[in-house]
Amino acid sequence: MIDVRDKALEAARQCIAEIAPADAVQRLAGGALLLDVRDDGERAGGMPSGAIGVSRSFLELRIGAIAPDPGIPLMLICSGGARSLLAGRSLVELGYRQVCSIAGGFDRWKAEGLPVDRDAGGDPDWVERYSRHLRLPEVGEAGQHRLSQASVLLVGAGGLGSPAGLYLGAAGVGRIGLVDDDRVERSNLQRQVLHADARVGMPKVDSARAAIHALNPRVRVETHPLRLTADNVESLLLPYDVIIDGADNFATRYLLSDACVQLGKPLVYGAVQRFDGQLGVFDAGRRRGSSPCYRCLFPHPPPPDAAPNCAEAGVLGVLPGVIGLLQATEALKLLLGIGDVLDGRLLGFDALAMRFRESRLRPDPDCAVCAPGRQFGGYQDIAQLCASM
């Protein structure tokens, strides 16, 4: 493999001139274009002043917009000088006539004290912390900045909210809201990994905030130590981009779903019991008639004795970790606008069989809440349900 690369570099040197960084500065002043072909994460630490950043993997796709005239002088720079040579050969094959590579790359550029633009991608902590995201073309610098401006509300700081909160915080979601009126109990610690034995008795939202901040102090964590009700649901959900359902009762789930439909918020649903879990995305508020809501799956809540909670039925401690982690994954995809989210699909997980199963979930044309043209009847019946649970 090394021999192949060496041969490719030698072939590139036959058709691409190499120039010193100081010469590149003079040519830049004379109208030549300087293209930094390193990846987004590498450029985030600084770029040669005046350079245009375009990752090597996207160069052929973007060069026509950057340099529509094949006769314009182009200079390429990478970290050490190899990638820029190979990229230059590709541009020559595309018909560009004046292409050269900067010998020694950005390493030599910095060593010679030439001007560097430090505003290319944030501070060193930001670059180092999110370096693996910055290397992903689907995220990159733009996507990471988008995450830093985004917000997610976690309803429930327990078994599902724990992995979701930790991974959203680690990913750099700029603002995370936590809704929970409980306090940490020792029985929680078997599955609610946001909390610790030393914080037993502390409000869950405060314990969760401490854990997320310990992982990523750049994230803003907002705490709401209260129970979701018909009176406060809209005001709590309105400031956030994505809502994650980490609740443990049907009353809250219906209230969340109905409010998300009314406010046009995507809802990432998750539920666990014993050894089984469920996951889905309900986006009927923004895609009424083509995306289902929670009521399309469960039109009416079951009697309380027909649906025991985890305290009554038990739950394998790692199971909420699996489902909560997948909820965080779906939330990140929604925020970044990438991938195929679980909208219209319900993902089931059987931990004992280690098997996932997927079911299609279509919007109910007669749904009492999300059917097109349906007038919302208000939260009154849901509030009564919450009071009775």
Side-chain angles (χ1 to χ4, degrees):
M1 194 69 177
I2 295 177
D3 291 340
V4 172
R5 180 177 173 83
D6 288 344
K7 291 179 181 178
L9 285 172
E10 185 59 34
R13 287 191 175 95
Q14 299 300 316
C15 60
I16 303 297
E18 292 184 277
I19 64 172
D23 293 336
V25 174
Q26 294 181 355
R27 296 191 186 192
L28 188 63
L33 294 182
L34 175 58
L35 307 182
D36 189 333
V37 298
R38 296 175 297 155
D39 292 335
D40 291 346
E42 297 173 281
R43 295 197 309 273
M47 287 169 54
S49 292
I52 299 171
V54 51
S55 299
R56 171 66 188 92
S57 55
F58 294 101
L59 181 61
E60 288 87 350
L61 294 175
R62 294 185 54 194
I63 190 61
I66 296 171
D69 179 4
I72 191 170
L74 298 176
M75 303 178 294
L76 307 182
I77 189 169
C78 62
S79 295
R83 269 179 294 173
S84 56
L85 273 171
L86 297 173
R89 183 181 181 185
S90 297
L91 293 185
V92 169
E93 292 173 350
L94 288 175
Y96 287 87
R97 299 189 294 272
Q98 299 188 64
V99 182
C100 62
S101 173
I102 297 177
F106 188 56
D107 293 340
R108 181 175 168 185
W109 183 286
K110 291 188 296 183
E112 294 184 3
L114 297 175
V116 171
D117 181 0
R118 294 292 182 184
D119 296 327
D123 59 82
D125 174 86
W126 187 87
V127 174
E128 183 177 8
R129 184 178 297 274
Y130 304 122
S131 62
R132 300 308 187 268
H133 270 180
L134 298 175
R135 293 177 184 274
L136 294 171
E138 295 84 355
V139 182
E141 185 179 334
Q144 192 60 50
H145 281 301
R146 190 179 310 157
L147 290 179
S148 71
Q149 299 299 316
S151 58
V152 175
L153 181 68
L154 292 172
V155 179
L160 296 173
S162 286
L166 286 172
Y167 274 96
L168 292 173
V173 172
R175 187 161 56 91
I176 298 174
L178 302 169
V179 177
D180 202 308
D181 66 341
D182 286 342
R183 291 180 176 269
V184 179
E185 299 177 2
R186 192 158 279 110
S187 62
N188 301 147
L189 304 181
Q190 163 251 17
R191 63 202 177 281
Q192 300 181 16
V193 294
L194 267 174
H195 311 302
D197 192 75
R199 299 199 292 274
V200 169
M202 180 183 294
K204 282 187 178 180
V205 291
D206 294 338
S207 173
R209 178 175 57 187
I212 295 172
H213 274 165
L215 181 64
N216 188 352
R218 303 180 71 101
V219 173
R220 175 182 171 188
V221 180
E222 300 171 342
T223 58
H224 308 281
L226 45 79
R227 181 172 290 273
L228 207 68
T229 68
D231 293 331
N232 64 25
V233 62
E234 289 200 352
S235 62
L236 284 170
L237 270 58
L238 191 59
Y240 296 92
D241 300 317
V242 173
I243 313 301
I244 289 184
D245 176 3
D248 62 357
N249 64 83
F250 283 98
T252 301
R253 295 192 192 282
Y254 283 99
L255 189 60
L256 263 183
S257 176
D258 291 358
C260 284
V261 172
Q262 304 315 308
L263 298 175
K265 305 286 184 181
L267 175 65
V268 183
Y269 157 73
V272 294
Q273 188 180 89
R274 292 177 55 81
F275 303 98
D276 297 309
Q278 281 185 338
L279 177 79
V281 173
F282 301 122
D283 205 2
R286 299 188 301 178
R287 305 179 63 244
R288 195 173 288 233
S290 59
S291 176
C293 75
Y294 183 72
R295 284 187 184 269
C296 296
L297 177 62
F298 299 114
H300 305 289
D305 56 354
N309 60 29
C310 291
E312 298 167 331
V315 62
L316 185 67
V318 297
L319 180 62
V322 175
I323 301 301
L325 176 59
L326 292 175
Q327 286 181 284
T329 304
E330 292 300 287
L332 291 174
K333 287 159 58 181
L334 284 164
L335 295 172
L336 291 167
I338 61 174
D340 185 10
V341 299
L342 283 170
D343 184 8
R345 295 181 291 150
L346 188 68
L347 188 66
F349 175 58
D350 181 344
L352 288 181
M354 192 50 68
R355 181 178 297 116
F356 286 93
R357 61 190 181 279
E358 182 180 304
S359 304
R360 300 298 302 182
L361 180 61
R362 302 186 185 280
D364 181 356
D366 295 320
C367 179
V369 173
C370 77
R374 180 84 64 180
Q375 294 297 314
F376 183 51
Y379 299 112
Q380 183 176 1
D381 60 329
I382 307 170
Q384 293 172 353
L385 176 61
C386 286
S388 66
M389 294 292 281

